Amino acid sequence: DLSFDGEQPSAKRPRRGQRGGEPGSQPASEKPTLSTERLGAFRSAVQKAFAAHHTETMPSTDLLADVNKQVSTAYSVAEMQVALEAMREANQVMLADDQVFLI
């Protein structure tokens, strides 16, 4: 049984949104995981960053810079995205157009 493009069905192809063929590259669908402690530290640093700026809205790049000033081990952009998504699911923040809104 062949697929439409003539490849064997068992042939592995990158999923949509992934880069294939690059040694050592992490597929886009594989997000980093954060420990409970690291997620808690991120949440705390986010609260402090918003309080320090006396605002309820910040660009995500500015927020990441502020958060990383407060912690000993910096968060990557991918880790920030995972942490912000967890905070969004907990109704602590809203995300829109690279802006983070504190709820």
Side-chain angles (χ1 to χ4, degrees), residues 80-94:
M80 175 192 67
Q81 291 170 341
V82 168
L84 287 175
E85 181 59 24
M87 291 181 73
R88 186 195 65 75
E89 289 174 1
N91 291 321
Q92 296 171 329
V93 297
M94 290 190 321

Side-chain angles (χ1 to χ4, degrees), residues 2-102:
L2 296 176
S3 62
F4 290 111
D5 60 5
E7 289 185 37
Q8 293 295 326
S10 62
K12 294 197 179 210
R13 287 181 276 170
R15 285 188 233 146
R16 187 177 182 156
Q18 291 180 339
R19 289 187 265 163
E22 294 180 30
S25 68
Q26 189 179 45
S29 64
E30 291 182 25
K31 294 181 181 179
T33 57
L34 294 175
S35 68
T36 304
E37 294 80 16
R38 194 144 162 81
L39 182 56
F42 184 87
R43 284 183 168 140
S44 176
V46 165
Q47 295 288 339
K48 290 177 184 174
F50 275 103
H53 289 279
H54 305 286
T55 187
E56 294 180 355
T57 305
M58 288 182 73
S60 60
T61 52
D62 293 352
L63 181 60
L64 181 60
D66 279 5
V67 165
N68 282 337
K69 288 177 188 173
Q70 300 177 49
V71 295
S72 57
T73 303
Y75 292 88
S76 67
V77 171
E79 287 176 314
M80 175 192 67
Q81 291 170 341
V82 168
L84 287 175
E85 181 59 24
M87 291 181 73
R88 186 195 65 75
E89 289 174 1
N91 291 321
Q92 296 171 329
V93 297
M94 290 190 321
L95 310 169
D97 299 324
D98 259 354
Q99 294 287 317
V100 181
F101 300 84
L102 189 63

